[in-house]
Structures are given as structure tokens and as C-alpha cells.
Amino acid sequence: MDVSDELLRRAGPSALLTLDGTVHSLNAPMASALGRPAEECLGRGFGDLYPASQRLPAESLVVAAARTKAVAMRVLEFPGRGGVPVACLLEARPVKDPACGEQLLWVHSLDAHNDLASLLIPFRLATEAVDLGLWMYSPQLDQLEWLGGAPALVALSPDLTTPLSRVVAALHPDDREAFRQLLRSAPAQSPWLRLRHLTPQDGWHQLAYRTRRLQLGYGGPERSFGVLRDDTKQEKRKQKAQAALAAERQRAKDTADFSSALITAATIQELQQVVLTRLAATFGASGVLFALVDDGRLSVSTDAGITMGEVQALHGISLGCPSPLPEVIRTGKPLFVLDREEYIRRWPHGASLPWMDRLGADYTVSITPLGETGDQPLGAWLMTYGSEYRPSLEERTLMGALADLAGQALRRIRLQQARVELAAALQQTMLPTLPEHLPGLEVAARYRPSRDGLDIGGDWYDAFVLPDGAIALEIGDVQGHDVEAAAFMGQVRLSMRLIASQEPDPGTVLTRTNELFVTMDAARFASCTILHVDSRDGRVTGTSAGHVPLLCAHRDGSHDVHELPGGPVLGVLPGTDYPEETFTLDEDSALIMVTDGVVEGPGLTLDAGVERAGTLAAQAVHDGLNVEEIADRILDAAVAVDHLDDVAVLVIRRP
């Protein structure tokens, strides 16, 4: 009998390998442990016979013994029978085949019956490395034994051995039976189970448990092990993010509904109704007072959140009265009054007003004019808040934008203009005035209303500076040519501005805008392209929601048609992601963003129209025209498309 036969006659798994890890010979227990016929194992790499999770450890064991010519040991898992893995301590030892003198490696399992805990050390270290805990359940003793893991989880199991009854008692009553079922589960590995666990030190924890059965050593006993993860902080962050998202969605919906209702208000009574029913909910105010100028005096109404005594003190006063509400209406400048001392310092005669004692103690006051300085005074709205409330810059900006919309509606109503004229003018106010200075960029925009139906539509553009200094540029098109299309356009633009102030990535802005309008079950959809431009290096990140391709015109007279990645139009498919692309805008090159009315018509396909617009833009850049002249040239050429749709153009250039 040679040495090879003697080494393979062992009761446990045993194999002889070449130095490169190829199986030379093996015994029946090794083949059984690997779950393969012996003839299928011969000539194959030892690591290749293991499951993917164990392949690298098996190969490293062989390499260590082959390279160092010394004994190497490692705990490895065999597949096992019935799906229950077998943890074995394997030894790899260099040996020589006397028949041919070939150097081989003898890999065999060691008897660990007297030290089963050594087989668990790799599992304990692995769980500790990923901030998990490890315990073992002994059904005979009906107890859990803590084996170690992440230090942060030690407080959840202060004793190394704990009766099952004590562990169950610390769980939420609704979770106890699920935990018992987890311990009795038949599968070799269970799914994660979420449980609530109470600790004396810091209250409830959100835990995740997972059980696994494991055989300790070849021919050894089976045990049930549990992996523990503390998701408390993650769950709190998730709940906080969900609450913020819900509040953001509600704010965006309230804002969109508010702006839409302002657009459609046709009488003073309807306008009052819109303001008094929606304003407090939109901005979290405790009360609203709506004041309109009527023949030089104030006509005041309230949502009942402000007492009639306060209303009577203001109703009918002269616009010239030295008081905060008339002053805001006269000057067109919004005001925020924190407390009684500030009020009396600026308007001493107000010390005798009946509600003055509450100012600063119970509430603070904000007043927003319905129009800007220089316009004919129209009125204002006054909101009261809790004394700790301080409106953010975004809220004040949004409040002013909505007040401007209300002022526009009031002007149209008082001039008895038709509803269509009101909608068209309001649509123009929704299209922003581009900032006078965008650092490192020249930007120009043009808009022309539809030549069909109500002469209004849903095309829009926008440009603004983000908190990180990048510049956001948007252009889009809402389905339809009516009042509802104009209203929905305002909803989309306002919503995207709100979301972009918190989530600057273009893809995230479109994803969250899409989810918002899908959730609202909006009757319209909108296409859109959004870009974020870093003017310092010309890096542009963009994505598109079913919109017209982007054009890039160069100084040499050439142009590119840039198809951005993205997804479908906004407001149709839930759960849509909008992938982004980043590219560089060269100096003296121009980006041209258009709506489909510029490039598509009865006698012109979209591809032909895009190519035509790109050629015109490239020639304009080559001719040295500035962005305003480029925008005019593209807009004028759109007449030849003979499209009845409204059109919008946005031109961006790095000078």
C-alpha cells in the first residue's frame, strides 16, 4: 500500500492535489461532502468544486500551502446534505508521492469535536466586520448563546447565555410569534425578519433577524445560528426621509392647486375663496387675512383663523394709515413682524390695539403684497403663525410668486378681461424673467403663444442658480392649448423649482416630479429637458423626459444633435428613473433647447426640423451673433414650420 492510499483511507474527507490545485485523487467522504461523484472531481480545480461563496477561501488555502511548503488550515463550508452546510476545519499539507516523486498537497478535514467553537470563529469575525451580531440557539436547553459580533449590539444581549423566554419577553407582543416561528423554521436559511426589541437603556430598537442551520464538523452536530442587524438608525432616517418627501409632495400639490385655482378665478368672490381656503394650508399658517384696496381704503376678509376684533380694527382704514398692512400695500415690500416690541418701535400708535399683547407670545405675522413696487396698489394677505415659526427663503420666494399670481388675477378681474386673456397673461408671468447675470454663461429665451384655439398653451422654460453654484436650465411642453394646460405648466415649473432646491441632480428632479404628478393622477402629461451647467469648466449634466433633442452649435459652423438619455413624459408611468449624461460645452459653442413647435409641423418631420434648426443655430454662431440674436433667428424661422403649437427657445453659450 503506498502513501496515497494510506492518506485517503481516513474516515473524514480527504484529497490529494497537485501544487496548482488540481484534484489528483480523493476518497468517498470528500466526494460526498462536495456533493459530486468522485470521477467528476478528478482533474478539476479544487476551488471550482465549491459553491461560489467558498471558492476563494478554498483556493487561498491551497495556494498558501503550495507556496510556503508548510501546513495551512482554514474553516470551509461544504455544501452538505439537505441544504445544510457543513463547517469543517481543513488542513493542507505538502506530501510526496513515493511512486513518482511528485510533490502533492494533502487536504483533509481535522477532527474538531473537542473544540467546536473554533469552527465558529470565522463566522463571528465576518459578522463583526459588517456590524452584525451572531448567536446560537439550543432547542434542548431552550436558550440563546451570544457568540459575538458588532460591539454596538452587545447591549441588546448583556448576558452571554439568555433563556428564550427572556428574549421573547423583550420583543413587541405583535412580533413574538413570528420570532418563535423563525427559530422553528425548516429552511437551511431563512429570510430576514423585522422585529421590535425593547431595551432598558434606550427604548425600542428595529432589529432584523435571520436564521441558518449549520453542521459543525464532518459527522458533527447540527446547530441553529442567528444573524442580528440593528436597523434602528436606518429606520429613523427612512421615516424622516419619508416624512420629508410626504411633506414636500403635499406642499407641491397644495402650491400647484393654489396656482391653478388662482388662474381660474373669474370674480373677486372666487379670488377671496381661493386665498382664504388654501393659503393657510399651503404655508402652515394659523390664520389668514385678505385685504383689497377699494377706493383708497382696505376691504378685509378672513378665514376665521383671525378674530373678528382684529379684522374690524383693520377694515376700512385708509391706505395712507401708518400701520404695517397699508405700508406693505403702498411700498410693495413684504414684511415679517416677530414680536410686540418690534411693532411698537416702528408703529408706536399700535400699542393700544386689542391683539397686540399676543404678538410675539402666541404668534408672529407675515404680510405679502399683491404686486411689486410701482404698480397700482391692489392689496395684500396677512398670515399669522406660531411664535417659533420663521419662514425659509424658499417659502418667502414662493409666497411672493403666488401673491404676484393673485395680483395678476385681481387686475384681470377688475378690468373685466376675458378668462382667456387672464390665462395668457398668467402664463407669461409663469415664464420666469431670466436672471440678469448667470456667472460664466450667456442665456436668452423666447416664447410665442399658439396660433390655434385659446392662444395659450403649456410651453415653458426656466433658468436659475442652484445652492451648489451650478446653473439649472429647463424647457418643456405640457399637453394641450387651454387654461388647464397653462395651469398644469405652472404646476410643473413650480414643482421642479421646489424639488431642485433640495435635490440638484437632474435625474432625481425628473424622477420626483414624475412621481408627484403620477400620485396626483394629473390629467395632463409634460415633456421636459433639464440641464445643470457648471460654468467654470463647461460640464453639463442633463436628462430628458420625452422631449425634443438638444442642439449644440459650434463656432466653425458645425452642429450636433444631442440625444440625451432619459425616460417617458412626466405624469404617465410610476416608478420611472431618468438616467443622466454628462458632457462638456466648449467655449464659444451654444446649446439650443426648443419645444416641438419650433421643429415639427404638417410639412416638416421632427428629424428634418431638428436638422434645420441646428443648421440655423450653427450659422448664427459662426456669424458672431449674440445669444439674443440667435434666439430671434430660430424663433423667426419657426414660422416656416407652419405649426399651430406654441413655441419656446432657450439659448445658452459659454463666451
Side-chain angles (χ1 to χ4, degrees):
M1 178 184 300
D2 61 20
V3 175
S4 300
D5 293 334
E6 182 180 347
L7 295 178
L8 297 179
R9 286 175 59 85
R10 302 175 62 88
S14 181
L16 289 171
L17 315 178
T18 62
L19 294 182
D20 64 357
T22 301
V23 177
H24 178 275
S25 55
L26 75 167
N27 63 6
M30 176 63 82
S32 176
L34 293 172
R36 303 168 185 269
E39 57 272 16
E40 184 180 323
C41 301
L42 295 175
R44 296 186 60 182
F46 185 64
D48 295 336
L49 301 175
Y50 279 85
S53 61
Q54 296 293 299
R55 190 166 299 155
L56 184 61
E59 292 174 348
S60 66
L61 172 69
V62 173
V63 169
R67 288 183 178 177
T68 62
K69 302 297 189 294
V71 175
M73 294 183 188
R74 174 159 247 169
V75 175
L76 290 177
E77 286 185 33
F78 288 100
R81 296 179 180 177
V84 178
V86 181
C88 287
L89 177 60
L90 290 189
E91 178 189 81
R93 178 188 296 272
V95 297
K96 183 175 290 187
D97 187 346
C100 61
E102 182 182 5
Q103 191 75 30
L104 300 175
L105 292 177
W106 177 38
V107 179
H108 63 104
S109 67
L110 298 175
D111 186 354
H113 289 173
N114 294 328
D115 187 18
L116 293 178
S118 65
L119 300 177
L120 303 177
I121 293 176
F123 303 104
R124 178 174 59 80
L125 295 177
T127 54
E128 184 175 353
V130 292
D131 288 331
L132 299 176
L134 182 67
W135 49 261
M136 181 172 67
Y137 174 59
S138 299
Q140 299 83 0
L141 302 175
D142 206 28
Q143 68 182 15
L144 296 177
E145 180 182 350
W146 177 256
L147 300 180
L153 296 171
V154 172
L156 300 177
S157 181
D159 300 323
L160 293 180
T161 302
T162 307
L164 178 63
S165 58
R166 185 187 301 174
V167 175
V168 172
L171 298 177
H172 192 280
D174 294 342
D175 297 339
R176 292 170 183 172
E177 182 57 29
F179 183 64
R180 293 189 183 98
Q181 290 287 348
L182 181 70
L183 296 181
R184 296 194 293 263
S185 62
Q189 181 166 285
S190 75
W192 286 101
L193 176 66
R194 303 293 294 274
L195 300 172
R196 290 159 288 184
H197 185 278
L198 182 63
T199 62
Q201 298 85 0
D202 49 1
W204 288 102
H205 283 249
Q206 295 285 340
L207 303 181
Y209 281 93
R210 189 176 197 174
T211 59
R212 187 185 189 207
R213 285 191 292 135
L214 192 67
Q215 181 180 331
L216 299 180
Y218 184 76
E222 280 191 16
R223 291 289 185 268
S224 292
F225 296 88
V227 177
L228 170 65
R229 185 179 73 226
D230 191 346
D231 290 343
T232 306
K233 293 181 179 179
Q234 176 183 345
E235 188 66 23
K236 288 181 178 179
R237 288 194 297 269
K238 179 181 177 181
Q239 291 175 356
K240 184 177 180 181
Q242 289 175 338
L245 177 60
E248 180 181 301
R249 285 180 171 177
Q250 188 60 49
R251 167 65 64 83
K253 184 180 185 303
D254 289 344
T255 301
D257 290 346
F258 195 171
S259 60
S260 179
L262 288 174
I263 291 173
T264 57
T267 66
I268 294 291
Q269 182 179 0
E270 288 182 8
L271 187 62
Q272 288 175 328
Q273 179 178 327
V274 170
V275 173
L276 297 180
T277 58
R278 297 181 180 275
L279 188 59
T282 301
F283 292 98
S286 58
V288 173
L289 183 147
F290 190 41
L292 300 177
V293 178
D294 185 7
D295 197 21
R297 294 189 175 276
L298 302 189
S299 175
V300 178
S301 55
T302 179
D303 67 346
I306 297 177
T307 66
M308 290 307 299
E310 296 170 87
V311 174
Q312 291 171 355
L314 296 171
H315 187 70
I317 65 173
S318 169
L319 187 59
C321 179
S323 181
L325 184 57
E327 181 175 312
V328 167
I329 297 173
R330 290 195 311 270
T331 63
K333 296 180 180 179
L335 180 66
F336 188 69
V337 183
L338 291 174
D339 51 38
R340 184 175 186 272
E341 288 72 20
E342 180 183 357
Y343 188 105
I344 295 176
R345 177 176 56 82
R346 300 182 62 175
W347 303 281
H349 75 286
S352 60
L353 292 175
W355 48 274
M356 186 55 60
D357 290 340
R358 293 176 53 200
L359 187 59
D362 290 347
Y363 63 73
T364 56
V365 172
S366 73
I367 309 174
T368 308
L370 307 181
E372 301 178 353
T373 307
D375 293 333
Q376 179 184 0
L378 299 172
W381 57 48
L382 179 149
M383 285 187 280
T384 58
Y385 309 88
S387 58
E388 300 300 321
Y389 179 79
R390 300 293 185 273
S392 65
L393 175 61
E394 290 79 9
E395 287 179 307
R396 293 196 297 269
T397 301
L398 179 59
M399 200 181 301
L402 291 176
D404 286 344
L405 289 180
Q408 290 290 335
L410 180 59
R411 287 191 182 92
R412 298 300 175 187
I413 291 170
R414 285 184 169 175
L415 293 173
Q416 298 182 353
Q417 293 292 323
R419 184 184 180 198
V420 173
E421 292 178 333
L422 171 60
L426 206 50
Q427 183 189 45
Q428 289 291 349
T429 65
M430 288 181 182
L431 293 174
T433 301
L434 297 181
E436 293 183 2
H437 177 65
L438 290 173
L441 292 182
E442 295 176 353
V443 179
R446 294 293 184 270
Y447 172 78
R448 188 187 67 205
S450 167
R451 294 183 286 125
D452 184 46
L454 296 179
D455 288 336
I456 58 175
D459 285 17
W460 88 91
Y461 58 83
D462 205 354
F464 50 95
V465 180
L466 295 166
D468 62 359
I471 297 166
L473 299 151
E474 302 169 4
I475 195 164
D477 184 2
V478 169
Q479 168 205 19
H481 311 98
D482 51 22
V483 174
E484 286 73 22
F488 190 67
M489 178 269 285
Q491 295 174 21
V492 176
R493 196 177 72 80
L494 283 172
S495 299
M496 290 181 66
R497 272 234 180 185
L498 283 171
I499 294 171
S501 67
Q502 302 296 324
E503 297 284 353
D505 293 334
T508 304
V509 173
L510 290 193
T511 296
R512 295 180 68 174
T513 303
N514 179 65
E515 288 301 320
L516 171 64
F517 288 112
V518 169
T519 302
M520 291 168 54
D521 196 20
R524 306 284 176 141
F525 60 81
S527 67
C528 176
T529 291
I530 178 170
L531 305 177
H532 285 187
V533 182
D534 188 336
S535 58
R536 294 167 299 181
D537 58 8
R539 187 177 58 192
V540 181
T541 302
T543 184
S544 176
H547 198 66
V548 178
L550 188 67
L551 295 170
C552 186
H554 307 293
R555 189 61 181 269
D556 63 0
S558 65
H559 72 276
D560 304 316
V561 178
H562 206 113
E563 285 275 4
L564 290 171
V569 292
L570 302 174
V572 176
L573 294 178
T576 300
D577 291 326
Y578 292 84
E580 303 170 349
E581 178 184 352
T582 299
F583 59 96
T584 299
L585 174 61
D586 297 329
E587 293 181 356
D588 276 339
S589 291
L591 290 176
I592 295 89
M593 306 168 73
V594 300
T595 54
D596 61 357
V598 177
V599 294
E600 188 176 25
L604 194 66
T605 65
L606 176 62
D607 290 342
V610 169
E611 185 64 24
R612 181 174 180 274
T615 301
L616 289 171
Q619 186 60 47
V621 172
H622 180 267
D623 292 344
L625 302 186
N626 59 35
V627 288
E628 300 289 342
E629 294 168 326
I630 297 172
D632 286 334
R633 179 173 289 189
I634 295 174
L635 187 66
D636 291 340
V639 176
V641 175
D642 197 25
H643 201 310
L644 299 179
D645 200 358
D646 46 347
V647 299
V649 178
L650 193 60
V651 180
I652 308 102
R653 187 170 68 175
R654 289 181 67 202

